[in-house]
Amino acid sequence: MSPERQARHHQRGRGERQITFRFGVDDLARTSFAYSPLQEAAFSLRSWRDPARYPHQRPWLRRLRPAFDRQDTELLAALVTPRLWVPDFLTPRPVRARSTFAEELALLRATPPELLAPEFAAA
């Protein structure tokens, strides 16, 4: 990773830390601020995989556990590795700031199969 992209930690008052990122022009050109319902759903799988790591998510995990347990979740569980990695194809870059879940599922369905194998191999 280039020095421009490395995060630097700065000590602040009372043990607080500030993270500073240095981006080059190319990095900024690829940066976007958008909400992705599919990404939220994909990353929520981490909470199911390792709830102890996400204490702030425990209330909704407890509330939704009965519904989650009634689903066939074997494939979903397999998509999150023990080290909590989620394949990139499950988190495509949003095409606009507020994409809908249906729009993002359509993008996911359109993912060429040849892009999937390297992602699974990386897991």
Side-chain angles (χ1 to χ4, degrees):
M1 179 179 290
S2 70
E4 296 83 31
R5 294 179 68 185
Q6 289 179 352
R8 294 184 304 152
H9 295 269
H10 298 285
Q11 194 70 29
R12 293 172 68 185
R14 294 188 293 184
E16 296 176 23
R17 291 190 177 261
Q18 173 183 339
I19 300 173
T20 303
F21 292 94
R22 294 184 181 250
F23 293 100
V25 173
D26 291 341
D27 299 314
L28 289 174
R30 289 189 309 270
T31 301
S32 66
F33 296 93
Y35 170 74
S36 169
L38 182 59
Q39 192 171 78
E40 292 291 328
F43 287 147
S44 76
L45 296 173
R46 293 174 173 173
S47 298
W48 292 108
R49 177 90 164 160
D50 188 1
R53 183 173 261 191
Y54 302 96
H56 56 288
Q57 303 294 348
R58 287 184 194 147
W60 75 262
L61 288 170
R62 277 192 299 272
R63 189 173 68 249
L64 295 176
R65 173 56 72 186
F68 188 80
D69 287 344
R70 287 192 302 272
Q71 306 303 312
D72 181 1
T73 58
E74 184 178 1
L75 177 60
L76 286 175
L79 291 173
V80 180
T81 68
R83 61 180 201 269
L84 304 180
W85 179 81
V86 174
D88 288 342
F89 74 86
L90 285 179
T91 58
R93 185 177 187 158
V95 294
R96 56 191 181 98
R98 303 262 324 153
S99 296
T100 68
F101 195 63
E103 289 169 333
E104 292 191 337
L105 284 177
L107 283 175
L108 180 60
R109 281 191 296 275
T111 302
E114 60 272 10
L115 295 180
L116 302 180
E119 297 231 12
F120 287 118

